[in-house]
Amino acid sequence: TPLLPRTAFAHLRRQAAALDALRPRLNACCHHHSPLPCARRAWTDVLDGFCTDEFGVKTRQFHCCRRHGTA
């Protein structure tokens, strides 16, 4: 994230922030008794947060945020 310019590229900063939020949650899942469901839950939680942020700005949203359910 620090390598991104301070102006513009907000969409890339949101993507980088989502990945930064995912990393510690995945690391915690490695020590969980059922790591795969934990990782799936971490991914969907972080992705939901990312999409909420995407729809909160007046730019074109990331394509995966328009999908619903298992899609």
Side-chain angles (χ1 to χ4, degrees), residues 4 22 24 32 35 40 47 51 53-54 57 61 63 69-71:
L4 294 172
L22 180 61
H32 201 267
R40 178 177 286 168
L47 189 58
C51 288
D53 291 346
E54 282 286 282
V57 295
Q61 288 77 30
H63 63 87
T70 58

Side-chain angles (χ1 to χ4, degrees), residues 1-68:
T1 309
L3 298 177
L4 294 172
R6 291 181 184 246
T7 57
F9 301 100
H11 65 290
L12 292 178
R13 280 197 298 280
R14 287 191 299 276
Q15 290 174 16
L19 291 175
D20 287 343
L22 180 61
R23 186 173 295 118
R25 293 196 59 185
L26 286 180
N27 287 339
C29 289
C30 291
H31 305 291
H32 201 267
H33 66 279
S34 53
L36 187 57
C38 176
R40 178 177 286 168
R41 194 168 39 258
W43 171 250
T44 56
D45 289 349
V46 168
L47 189 58
D48 286 346
F50 169 74
C51 288
T52 299
D53 291 346
E54 282 286 282
F55 284 113
V57 295
K58 293 182 179 182
T59 59
R60 187 173 183 182
Q61 288 77 30
F62 199 71
H63 63 87
C64 68
C65 293
R66 297 174 188 260
R67 298 181 180 186
H68 300 284

